[in-house]
Amino acid sequence: MKRNIKGNVNWIGYIDWELDSFHGDDYSISNGSSQNAYLIEEEKTVLIDTVWLPHRFEFIENLEAEIDLEKIDYIVVNHGEVDHSGALVPLMDKIPNTPIYCTANAVKSLEGQYGRRGWNFRVVKTGDSVDIGNGKKLIFIEMRMLHWPDSMATYMTGENILFSNDAFGQHYAVEELFNDKADPFLLMREAMKYYANILNPFSPLVSKKIQEIVGLNLPIDIIAPSHGAIWRDNPLQIVEKYAEWAKAYQENQVTVVYDTMWDGTAKIAHEIARKISIHYSDTIVKVYNISKSDKNEVMTEIFKSKAIALGSPTVGNSVLSSVAGWVEFMRQLKFRNKKAAVFGCYGWSGESVKILKEKVSEAGFEVVGESVRAQWNPNADDLAAVPALVAALIGASV
Ligand code: FEO
């Protein structure tokens, strides 16, 4: 059923309370999600985006219950990823000549995923627009690499709605649709998790794009993303957050991440946390065993941190696979302006700390302090090295 957003604009998406992972299993979903599509019924009828493939038939049934599909004058595809374009094939089978407004890269992604079907693409660039009647128009804004090369946003004049697609979204189910109905803590936590795990690599582009959007001087009453809550109460609050997050964001936090075989490396991890909490009580410290933790939630904590301590025992002349895989994920996210120190136990060859240093350095972290490296179980002499490592992470003298 369509639900009113403002004026003649309605939401017609899918609220996905059952979803528990996204991008395969690469992004954990803790509070549901949604795929938001929008139906504009001015003199022209416009559909903005669709839903994910598994929900395509239900989406089309819902759409048909609201309007005669033949009445759709234009379809806007802000982004070709399957969670928004998943219903296009059965929809276009029913209305094959309907113009699809999208970027040149979206044509590539749609044809790449669904084949060349002879769809009536109208390729648009930033500043292009289309009249939709009643004195209103849609203006297109390319959002290249936010987060795909094909991404764009669509701005509706008259109602002053920015359909931002993935940008400003969250994987968060809000049955009432709007940000003022959402749990404020969960809303911002999920928005931050989305930014940290998906958008952070593109932060320099986020900063530029925000300046560009602000420079357009368009009044914005509503920001309607393609996932999660629609921002109608103080919609610019999320733009301000993005501007802050894009500038190598950090809080006064240190996060300790490790895995362990026989608890020696765990012992060092907790000693690091204990020393921080005792000697630097203004600093928040959190500890995660990465093999037992949600990697996306931990990555959100890394996003908030000014420094990390990373530990692994030596195994197979290297580090545990849980740590290696997680550091590779962290490298992809291109964090900036953060420090890292490393630690780990070993029985025989003891390469883990050297390898960890290389890995965090490749991930863009400034490696600081002497590593804490202990043979067999850490003894008092080994743990005596912890205060210096902690001081280096905090940026204080011992
Ligand atoms: Fe929500 Fe990039 O798809």
Side-chain angles (χ1 to χ4, degrees):
M1 199 176 79
K2 70 182 183 184
R3 295 165 64 178
N4 190 250
I5 300 300
K6 188 175 184 229
N8 296 319
V9 181
N10 285 280
W11 174 94
I12 185 148
Y14 187 89
I15 297 181
D16 211 338
W17 287 99
E18 281 73 29
L19 194 69
D20 59 7
S21 66
F22 192 78
H23 284 162
D25 283 326
D26 213 40
Y27 189 110
S28 61
I29 303 285
S30 310
N31 296 288
S33 186
S34 68
Q35 299 121 46
N36 300 333
Y38 300 95
L39 186 64
I40 303 172
E41 294 169 275
E42 298 291 350
E43 288 175 48
K44 299 290 186 187
T45 300
V46 185
L47 176 67
I48 298 187
D49 295 323
T50 70
V51 297
W52 186 28
L53 207 61
H55 313 305
R56 62 194 185 284
F57 298 122
E58 187 177 336
F59 173 76
I60 289 174
E61 267 176 39
N62 289 342
L63 202 53
E64 283 180 315
E66 299 293 345
I67 55 161
D68 176 356
L69 296 185
E70 295 291 340
K71 285 194 173 162
I72 297 176
D73 295 289
Y74 312 128
I75 296 169
V76 173
V77 173
N78 277 327
H79 173 35
E81 198 165 6
V82 71
D83 51 327
H84 309 297
S85 66
L88 266 186
V89 169
L91 180 64
M92 295 307 287
D93 284 348
K94 289 174 181 273
I95 48 172
N97 300 316
T98 310
I100 298 175
Y101 287 79
C102 64
T103 62
N105 278 328
V107 175
K108 288 184 196 168
S109 70
L110 293 172
E111 291 191 335
Q113 292 173 97
Y114 306 118
R116 293 191 172 186
R117 293 170 174 264
W119 290 345
N120 180 12
F121 290 113
R122 305 275 170 91
V123 171
V124 295
K125 300 190 292 296
T126 295
D128 290 348
S129 64
V130 59
D131 280 315
I132 55 173
N134 298 328
K136 298 170 190 176
K137 61 182 177 179
L138 299 178
I139 301 172
F140 304 106
I141 304 163
E142 287 169 278
M143 303 279 274
R144 195 176 166 81
M145 296 319 295
L146 298 180
H147 68 116
W148 267 19
D150 69 6
S151 299
M152 74 170 186
T154 299
Y155 176 80
M156 179 181 178
T157 66
E159 301 300 349
N160 305 336
I161 301 174
L162 181 69
F163 299 98
S164 58
N165 198 262
D166 283 332
F168 311 125
Q170 333 88 45
H171 283 305
Y172 179 31
V174 182
E175 194 68 38
E176 300 82 3
L177 298 182
F178 296 102
N179 68 317
D180 48 295
K181 300 289 186 183
D183 177 310
F185 170 78
L186 279 182
L187 175 62
M188 274 304 172
R189 173 70 187 186
E190 290 296 348
M192 179 185 272
K193 180 179 170 183
Y194 193 94
Y195 189 95
N197 284 272
I198 293 179
L199 291 171
N200 192 67
F202 313 112
S203 284
L205 297 172
V206 171
S207 294
K208 276 191 198 160
K209 188 52 65 175
I210 287 174
Q211 284 168 11
E212 185 190 320
I213 292 173
V214 170
L216 293 172
N217 279 322
L218 299 170
I220 295 177
D221 293 346
I222 288 180
I223 294 177
S226 55
H227 297 291
I230 296 166
W231 303 89
R232 71 174 174 189
D233 176 41
N234 184 15
L236 292 182
Q237 66 178 295
I238 190 62
V239 180
E240 286 158 13
K241 279 289 174 200
Y242 267 44
E244 198 182 337
W245 293 343
K247 287 184 190 157
Y249 181 75
Q250 57 175 238
E251 298 177 14
N252 188 9
Q253 176 173 327
V254 175
T255 302
V256 183
V257 178
Y258 74 97
D259 198 357
T260 195
M261 291 171 74
W262 300 110
D263 284 342
T265 302
K267 196 170 176 184
I268 302 172
H270 289 285
E271 180 65 7
I272 291 169
R274 202 171 69 84
K275 282 286 185 288
I276 292 173
S277 70
I278 292 170
H279 297 297
Y280 307 97
S281 57
D282 289 344
T283 301
I284 300 291
V285 59
K286 299 188 182 183
V287 185
Y288 298 96
N289 178 328
I290 195 58
S291 67
K292 301 183 192 305
S293 306
D294 179 317
K295 68 178 185 296
N296 305 106
E297 296 292 349
V298 177
M299 214 53 89
T300 311
E301 297 301 329
I302 302 302
F303 177 71
K304 288 162 58 189
S305 298
K306 63 181 183 181
I308 70 167
L310 183 64
S312 172
T314 297
V315 58
N317 303 113
S318 186
V319 298
L320 284 168
S321 61
S322 54
V323 174
W326 185 80
V327 175
E328 169 56 20
F329 181 29
M330 190 168 69
R331 187 187 66 76
Q332 294 167 20
L333 294 178
K334 297 184 180 166
F335 292 112
R336 291 176 295 155
N337 194 28
K338 296 184 193 295
K339 293 176 181 170
V342 303
F343 59 95
C345 290
Y346 66 101
W348 305 104
S349 57
E351 294 93 337
S352 72
V353 292
K354 176 175 172 288
I355 290 170
L356 286 177
K357 271 188 186 176
E358 290 166 3
K359 287 183 180 294
V360 291
S361 180
E362 281 169 18
F365 287 71
E366 179 196 352
V367 180
V368 296
E370 283 295 318
S371 311
V372 177
R373 183 170 176 265
Q375 192 166 19
W376 309 116
N377 279 315
N379 58 28
D381 285 345
D382 298 318
L383 295 180
V386 168
L389 177 143
V390 162
L393 283 175
I394 301 286
S397 53
V398 181

